[in-house]
């Protein structure tokens, strides 16, 4: 049985590129570091299951490609660093004072950290379309996770719809894996030609990335995967997905399919920073909220920093450097390195972050998700948990609901098991559209702890554990009566 | 709807509603069930609609199942263990342990 850690100098939440890089560097600098992660092995979603996949299965390595393979070095450095590692562990609360609620192996415990780096990464932007709750509709990232984690690929007619590089990467990977890809529906507002023109100034420094993206598209074309530029997508079926319909070229199309993979980019997973009421900003370019951070990733909450995509989407390569910046700052605050050393070591990391930001700015403009995620028919479900439709929300708003939390408590939208993860962004946009007000004044759900559901039994046991964890009396050898 | 790229090492067995499902050690419960052709993981408490995992990384909660007697477990975040008893969750699920 794992022994509950009662405290550590630095707690890191999330084992993706930012968390692994931060943990490795902090531990190397002598900071007592513990990394908590929900997954069984290091890598996050981008480098999911990287260690096992690097050791075996040539087929999977060919499918996932060279960028994925780069995650191994990160995982190895983390393993060597001496950082503590708590996999298969959920964090259900983080307090402003650095206390973490941990749930592991059926037990809950509290641990206190001198500093916390949240590296909770990104999640696929929920893409509400009619029928998106039907079995047979998944995120494209979900299909990629199945490939990475378990070598599982679709074997029935599959359609990929959405916008952004991951749409094409997943399509290419599924094609390579021999999955029956029956169509790609690109929902982005700009055509490939316009996107290509916009990318020209970037050619010298990001030629590799751009050519890589182009090679996916060429391969998909060669394989004659039907390609559409479409909008107003709908997933059709009675009890499961049967077909995908969409507007393209002036008419409505309908393609039979067993699996629809949707992707409209990724958004920061900000559940913890939102629950902490850290200051957040609405990123117009990325159409998403992210916590406001300084150049080290520090938030408006004293002990809490955010590194990687959780602080704003910039991709896996940037996440590594942002993880190291947060680690350097933590090591400085915890007295391991001087400000001068921190600043010097930060220079190459900062340059790398700036470089990645230039490419991200291009991706943001090329794959802006405006129309595709804004168009919400009245019968489209906004909240998957409580099955609240856009029409019900609009009706309440027209009755005078102007506060997102008021709307939440009256409609139950955002009050189900996912605690608003899947609908908060959608509802904020819907409200801001309906009220013709800016999204900042609509704001975000006020979140309640625990941020991950926790069995009552675990909470009950925690009550005892917390009382037991009062400072212990110093133990004196010998006669127990001599203990003071 | 899904297949495994390689079928070696299906050495673990879990039970879905009493029926054995072969899986690879290290699989999440959700991945193992999808590979075995399962499409209905749970039904919703509001309309009773069937649901299947949407995100596979712990955000959507559409993979909620009763695992070893405990309702509301996220099947995509639970690693299979030999002999694990998994039940489809209907509505809010039942809480036998309370």
């Amino acid at each position: 049985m794992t022994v509950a850690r009662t405290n550590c100098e630095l707690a890191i939440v999330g084992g993706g590129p930012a968390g692994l890089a931060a943990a490795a560097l902090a531990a190397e600098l002598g900071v007592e570091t513990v990394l908590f992660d929900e997954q069984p092995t290091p890598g996050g979603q981008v480098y999911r299951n990287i260690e096992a996949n690097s050791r075996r299965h040539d087929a999977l390595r060919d499918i996932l490609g060279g960028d994925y393979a780069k995650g191994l070095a990160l995982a190895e450095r983390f393993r060597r660093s001496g950082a503590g590692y708590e996999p298969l562990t959920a964090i259900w609360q983080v307090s402003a004072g650095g206390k973490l609620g941990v749930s592991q192996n059926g037990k809950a415990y509290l641990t206190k950290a001198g500093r916390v780096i949240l590296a909770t990464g990104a999640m696929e932007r929920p893409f509400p379309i009619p029928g998106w709750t039907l079995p047979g509709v998944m995120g494209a990232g979900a299909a990629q996770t199945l490939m990475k984690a378990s070598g599982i690929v679709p074997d029935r007619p599959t359609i990929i719809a959405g916008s952004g590089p991951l749409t094409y990467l997943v399509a290419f990977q599924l094609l390579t894996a021999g999955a029956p890809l029956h169509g790609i529906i690109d929902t982005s507002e700009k055509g490939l030609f316009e996107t290509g023109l916009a990318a020209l100034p970037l050619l010298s420094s990001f030629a590799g990335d751009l050519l890589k993206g182009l090679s996916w598209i060429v391969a998909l074309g060669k394989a004659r995967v039907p390609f559409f530029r479409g909008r107003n997508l709908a997933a059709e079926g009675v009890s499961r997905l049967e077909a995908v319909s969409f507007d393209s070229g002036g008419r409505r199309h309908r393609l039979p399919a067993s699996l629809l993979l949707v992707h409209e980019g990724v958004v920061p997973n900000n559940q913890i920073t939102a629950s902490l009421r850290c200051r957040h900003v609405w990123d117009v370019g990325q159409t998403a909220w992210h916590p406001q951070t300084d150049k080290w990733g520090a938030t408006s909450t004293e002990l809490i920093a955010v590194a990687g995509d959780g602080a704003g989407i910039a991709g896996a390569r940037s996440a590594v450097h942002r993880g190291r910046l947060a680690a350097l700052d933590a090591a400085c605050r915890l007295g391991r390195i001087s400000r001068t050393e921190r600043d010097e070591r930060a220079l190459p990391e900062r340059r790398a972050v700036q470089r990645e930001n230039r490419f991200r700015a291009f991706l943001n403009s090329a794959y802006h998700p405006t129309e595709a995620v804004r168009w919400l028919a009245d019968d489209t479900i906004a909240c998957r948990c409580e099955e609240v439709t856009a029409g019900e929300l609009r009706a309440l708003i027209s009755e005078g609901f102007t506060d997102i939390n008021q709307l939440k408590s009256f409609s139950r939208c955002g009050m189900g098991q996912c605690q608003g993860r899947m609908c908060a962004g959608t509802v904020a946009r819907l409200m801001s559209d309906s009220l013709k007000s800016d999204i900042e004044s609509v704001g975000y759900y006020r979140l309640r702890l625990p941020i991950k559901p926790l069995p009552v039994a675990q909470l009950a046991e925690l009550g005892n554990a917390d009382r037991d964890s009062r400072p212990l009396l110093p133990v004196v050898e010998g006669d127990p009566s001599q203990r003071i | 709807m899904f297949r495994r790229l390689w079928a070696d090492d299906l050495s673990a067995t879990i039970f879905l509603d009493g029926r054995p499902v072969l899986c690879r050690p290290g699989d999440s419960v959700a991945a193992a069930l999808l590979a075995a052709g399962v499409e209905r993981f749970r039904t919703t408490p509001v309309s009773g609609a069937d649901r299947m995992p949407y995100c596979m990384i712990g955000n959507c909660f559409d993979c909620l199942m009763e695992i070893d007697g405990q309702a509301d477990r996220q099947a995509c975040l639970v690693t299979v263990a030999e002999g694990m008893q998994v039940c489809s969750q209907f509505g809010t699920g039942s809480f036998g342990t309370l």
Side-chain angles (χ1 to χ4, degrees):
Chain A
M1 220 207 82
T2 326
V3 177
R5 298 167 187 271
T6 53
N7 62 73
C8 59
E9 280 192 297
L10 174 64
I12 296 179
V13 184
L20 293 177
L25 180 55
E28 286 160 9
L29 292 171
V31 177
E32 187 216 334
T33 303
V34 181
L35 185 142
F36 299 90
D37 190 30
E38 285 187 338
Q39 300 304 328
T41 53
Q45 301 309 332
V46 166
Y47 302 127
R48 182 82 181 250
N49 207 18
I50 182 69
E51 294 168 323
N53 288 336
S54 302
R55 279 196 296 274
R56 49 168 201 238
H57 303 311
D58 295 341
L60 192 60
R61 278 202 298 269
D62 291 346
I63 293 163
L64 296 175
D67 282 341
Y68 173 74
K70 285 176 188 158
L72 183 63
L74 208 57
E76 285 176 343
R77 182 167 163 185
F78 165 70
R79 292 279 196 189
R80 280 196 310 266
S81 71
Y85 180 40
E86 301 290 347
L88 289 172
T89 300
I91 297 298
W92 47 267
Q93 79 157 13
V94 177
S95 79
K99 211 171 208 184
L100 277 76
V102 184
S103 173
Q104 182 183 58
N105 205 13
K107 293 249 182 244
Y109 66 90
L110 295 169
T111 192
K112 176 87 172 63
R115 188 156 183 81
V116 179
I117 297 177
L118 302 171
T120 48
M123 56 182 264
E124 283 189 295
R125 182 194 315 277
F127 186 12
I129 56 172
W132 72 308
T133 54
L134 287 170
V137 182
M138 296 181 105
Q144 207 189 30
T145 295
L146 279 167
M147 276 191 279
K148 291 172 182 172
S150 295
I152 290 170
V153 296
D155 70 346
R156 300 284 155 78
T158 299
I159 290 173
I160 297 192
S163 118
L166 192 79
T167 319
Y168 287 96
L169 172 60
V170 173
F172 174 74
Q173 289 173 334
L174 292 181
L175 180 76
T176 313
L181 207 50
H182 283 209
I184 298 175
I185 306 163
D186 190 318
T187 60
S188 52
E189 292 182 341
K190 292 177 184 169
L192 286 174
F193 180 68
E194 295 161 68
T195 306
L197 278 184
L200 282 179
L202 285 162
L203 256 182
S204 57
S205 43
F206 293 98
D209 290 316
L210 295 169
L211 287 174
K212 199 164 53 195
L214 193 63
S215 76
W216 303 334
I217 292 166
V218 167
L220 291 160
K222 264 191 186 166
R224 299 187 183 282
V225 177
F227 175 87
F228 305 88
R229 294 188 49 73
R231 51 191 53 202
N232 297 348
L233 236 61
E236 296 181 5
V238 180
S239 58
R240 75 168 324 284
L241 178 77
E242 289 159 23
V244 182
S245 60
F246 55 97
D247 295 330
S248 182
R251 68 182 184 92
R252 194 81 182 154
H253 296 249
R254 189 174 186 276
L255 304 178
S258 295
L259 183 65
L260 168 63
L261 302 174
V262 288
H263 181 80
E264 280 294 338
V266 295
V267 295
N269 177 358
N270 64 344
Q271 201 76 1
I272 295 178
T273 51
S275 77
L276 276 163
R277 313 297 299 275
C278 296
R279 199 172 299 128
H280 282 66
V281 291
W282 177 256
D283 188 321
V284 177
Q286 300 193 337
T287 325
W289 293 101
H290 65 73
Q292 191 177 56
T293 53
D294 72 6
K295 60 182 184 175
W296 303 99
T299 69
S300 60
T301 302
E302 182 64 19
L303 300 178
I304 313 291
V306 187
D309 276 356
I313 304 302
R317 285 189 306 222
S318 173
V320 168
H321 303 292
R322 292 197 286 170
R324 291 191 187 129
L325 288 170
L328 288 170
D329 191 43
C332 178
R333 288 170 189 254
L334 294 164
R336 292 301 187 287
I337 56 173
S338 67
R339 273 172 176 258
T340 317
E341 185 180 355
R342 175 194 71 173
D343 294 351
E344 276 172 12
R345 281 173 174 266
L347 286 175
E349 312 295 344
R350 217 175 280 298
R351 270 197 298 273
V353 169
Q354 280 158 2
R355 180 180 187 276
E356 295 299 328
N357 282 348
R358 286 200 297 277
F359 192 54
R360 188 54 45 173
F362 154 69
L363 291 178
N364 288 346
S365 100
Y367 298 111
H368 198 63
T370 333
E371 199 271 343
V373 292
R374 250 181 207 281
W375 182 78
L376 230 64
D378 275 346
D379 60 353
T380 300
I381 286 177
C383 169
R384 294 175 68 94
C385 297
E386 294 292 328
E387 302 180 272
V388 184
T389 64
E392 291 171 58
L393 294 170
R394 287 192 182 110
L396 284 172
I397 294 165
S398 71
E399 282 172 25
F401 287 81
T402 55
D403 179 280
I404 191 167
N405 290 297
Q406 192 187 24
L407 189 70
K408 175 178 161 184
S409 49
F410 269 76
S411 65
R412 288 204 56 79
C413 185
M415 293 183 77
Q417 294 97 331
C418 94
Q419 300 154 295
R421 285 166 170 86
M422 299 303 283
C423 67
T426 305
V427 173
R429 278 195 308 275
L430 188 147
M431 281 197 91
S432 118
D433 283 355
S434 300
L435 297 168
K436 308 220 177 333
S437 66
D438 57 85
I439 206 151
E440 286 91 341
S441 57
V442 169
Y444 198 80
Y445 289 150
R446 196 154 43 235
L447 303 184
R448 288 279 179 268
L449 302 172
I451 51 169
K452 276 273 171 175
L454 190 67
V456 177
Q458 283 189 35
L459 265 183
E461 280 180 41
L462 177 73
N464 294 329
D466 209 19
R467 276 194 292 280
D468 290 346
S469 69
R470 283 171 301 183
L472 296 170
L473 295 173
V475 176
V476 180
E477 297 290 332
D479 183 355
S481 68
Q482 292 301 304
R483 291 180 187 172
I484 47 171
Chain B
M1 198 167 15
F2 293 94
R3 69 181 171 90
R4 289 182 186 272
L5 285 170
W6 53 89
D8 63 319
D9 195 21
L10 294 182
S11 59
T13 306
I14 62 172
F15 295 87
L16 173 66
D17 301 323
R19 286 182 296 117
V21 175
L22 285 181
C23 37
R24 196 178 53 78
D27 278 343
S28 66
V29 170
L33 295 181
L34 287 172
V38 177
E39 295 187 355
R40 184 186 66 186
F41 279 55
R42 69 170 183 126
T43 65
T44 59
V46 181
S47 74
D50 290 351
R51 288 289 172 83
M52 190 186 98
Y54 175 81
C55 82
M56 288 299 290
I57 63 169
N59 289 314
C60 76
F61 290 69
D62 269 323
C63 63
L64 292 181
M65 304 193 95
E66 295 177 25
I67 298 179
D68 286 339
Q70 191 190 318
D72 280 345
R73 300 288 304 277
Q74 292 180 275
C76 76
L77 295 180
V78 177
T79 303
V80 298
E82 183 58 35
M84 192 175 251
Q85 297 288 337
V86 179
C87 294
S88 313
Q89 180 165 319
F90 297 98
T92 53
S94 59
F95 291 83
T97 51
L98 278 187

